Amino acid sequence: MKAVIQRVSRASVTVDGKIISKIESGLLILLGIEDADANADIEWLSRKIVNLRIFNDADGVMNKSLLEIDGNAIIVSQFTLHASTKKGNRPSYIKAAKPDVAIPLYENFIRKIEKDLNKKVGTGIFGADMKVDLLNDGPVTIIIDTKNKE
């Protein structure tokens, strides 16, 4: 499981011209799922994300987590995070999980983040053509791959 985490001042997801999710201060989480991913990846990644100390404290030091600031989140499924660009110029997405595997893991990840934050989070719509708008704060962008957790 790969996640691109962006600290944002604001973010929204639009599908068919309608805003379906919108937040102010918090995290935009782009989530890529592959066939080898499992619930253990969800547990580890959720805990890591909500506790990442990437928000400023009173002294302007990145020392607070999403949990500590009571921030919001939007989670968007993004299979292109598993693109392989080794050969040629057309990325291969062979490592990305097919919907029958990815959708349940995506939904479980959403539920786990909501449980860890004790609040609802915004989402995209799996497989939809989404327009994601954000104002990256910092900018702060972090990439986490559960395959590198050891």
Side-chain angles (χ1 to χ4, degrees):
M1 208 168 267
K2 288 184 184 177
V4 173
I5 298 134
Q6 297 183 76
R7 186 177 78 178
V8 297
S9 298
R10 64 168 169 72
S12 65
V13 178
T14 302
V15 176
D16 295 330
K18 291 180 148 179
I19 294 175
I20 61 164
S21 293
K22 185 176 182 177
I23 63 167
E24 295 302 320
S25 180
L27 296 177
L28 172 64
I29 303 163
L30 305 175
L31 184 69
I33 299 167
E34 63 180 67
D35 286 327
D37 293 328
N39 284 322
D41 295 296
I42 291 169
E43 295 287 327
W44 183 87
L45 186 58
S46 176
R47 191 170 44 254
K48 180 63 86 174
I49 289 172
V50 301
N51 290 295
L52 262 177
R53 294 171 25 184
I54 59 173
F55 292 92
N56 294 346
D57 63 15
D59 296 321
V61 177
M62 286 195 288
N63 205 25
K64 292 195 173 236
S65 69
L66 185 64
L67 202 52
E68 291 171 306
I69 68 157
D70 194 31
N72 297 298
I74 293 180
I75 304 167
V76 176
S77 176
Q78 188 164 354
F79 74 94
T80 60
L81 293 180
H82 289 289
S84 173
T85 57
K86 284 185 177 182
K87 292 184 179 179
N89 293 317
R90 179 177 295 183
S92 168
Y93 304 107
I94 198 151
K95 287 180 70 178
K98 303 290 184 266
D100 61 321
V101 171
I103 291 171
L105 289 172
Y106 173 64
E107 291 172 349
N108 288 345
F109 182 78
I110 292 165
R111 285 192 293 274
K112 178 64 173 136
I113 291 277
E114 288 178 336
K115 181 180 177 195
D116 288 351
L117 291 176
N118 197 30
K119 65 167 65 176
K120 293 291 277 177
V121 300
T123 65
I125 296 175
F126 191 95
D129 179 19
M130 296 174 272
K131 307 302 179 208
V132 179
D133 180 56
L134 67 124
L135 180 58
N136 192 316
D137 181 16
V140 175
T141 301
I142 296 174
I143 301 169
I144 301 175
D145 187 336
T146 60
K147 302 305 178 254
N148 298 328
K149 64 184 167 199
E150 312 252 334

